[in-house]
Amino acid sequence: MHQQETAQRHKRGGLYFEDFVPGAVYEHRLTRTVTQMDNMLFSNMTLNPQPLHIDRHFCEQETEWGQPLMNSLFTLGLMIGISVTDISLGTTIANLGMTDVRFPAPLFQGDTVHVTTEVMSRRESKSRPNAGIVEFEHRCFKQDDTLVAVCRRQAFMKKKAV
């Protein structure tokens, strides 16, 4: 199932709680080639000196990969970020949690990613009548369709104004 283009969207483009149907899959239009600069900036901004991400010589000499791996937290953030324009821009109140985060295959500098999001479940908020909780499963693939990241995310989403 693909997203319904007839849904009433927020003025910024996000979908509301009522528009999310369990089982719906969104194939996001944005793609992104990841770069050495992404790895360096993200690793430096997060004070992560892991040579797996920032030292090509180390990776060539001392790892099975022979090249730097993309920082997994960058990959996680990019995967979720790619989904925002299509599904939640302006309608997310807050992220409540992320579970089942996995990186089943390596992502390297120069790979290009694309992302899908499946709506796993939704439920009314017990404390706020103007919101609900939606669980998404985001999946990130590189150019050859190898799955490189997966995450379940629970988001507090706005309902349509009554």
Side-chain angles (χ1 to χ4, degrees):
M1 182 187 307
H2 295 281
Q3 73 188 48
Q4 297 176 347
E5 293 300 325
T6 58
Q8 175 194 343
R9 290 181 172 269
H10 183 275
K11 65 183 178 183
R12 296 183 187 270
L15 296 169
Y16 291 92
F17 170 79
E18 295 89 342
D19 297 318
F20 292 108
V21 177
V25 176
Y26 299 85
E27 295 181 11
H28 303 294
R29 296 168 280 194
L30 294 177
T31 60
R32 174 82 147 60
T33 301
V34 297
T35 68
Q36 177 184 16
M37 183 61 76
D38 295 328
N39 233 1
M40 294 299 291
L41 285 175
F42 189 85
S43 295
N44 285 318
M45 285 189 301
T46 56
L47 300 178
N48 181 349
Q50 176 53 255
L52 280 172
H53 307 308
I54 63 173
D55 187 334
R56 179 167 291 282
H57 180 73
F58 169 84
C59 293
E60 289 171 351
Q61 300 299 312
E62 299 187 41
T63 74
E64 64 185 273
W65 312 113
Q67 61 181 316
L69 291 170
M70 290 305 293
N71 186 307
S72 59
L73 293 179
F74 170 79
T75 304
L76 176 65
L78 178 61
M79 173 175 63
I80 293 169
I82 284 174
S83 76
V84 169
T85 300
D86 290 332
I87 64 172
S88 62
L89 193 61
T91 55
T92 300
I93 297 168
N95 283 321
L96 299 177
M98 295 174 200
T99 61
D100 303 320
V101 177
R102 295 179 286 117
F103 303 98
L107 184 64
F108 300 111
Q109 299 166 11
D111 285 335
T112 299
V113 299
H114 62 278
V115 175
T116 64
T117 298
E118 183 174 352
V119 178
M120 304 307 289
S121 65
R122 73 175 198 171
R123 70 174 176 83
E124 303 279 334
S125 170
K126 294 175 183 157
S127 61
R128 292 178 59 179
N130 63 339
I133 298 167
V134 179
E135 182 176 46
F136 300 105
E137 183 168 283
H138 303 286
R139 297 179 194 102
C140 182
F141 304 87
K142 60 184 176 180
Q143 63 277 356
D144 64 0
D145 289 328
T146 299
L147 181 66
V148 295
V150 180
C151 172
R152 287 216 175 190
R153 177 173 68 102
Q154 300 77 37
F156 206 33
M157 302 298 297
K158 291 181 181 179
K159 285 186 175 179
K160 295 175 183 171
V162 179

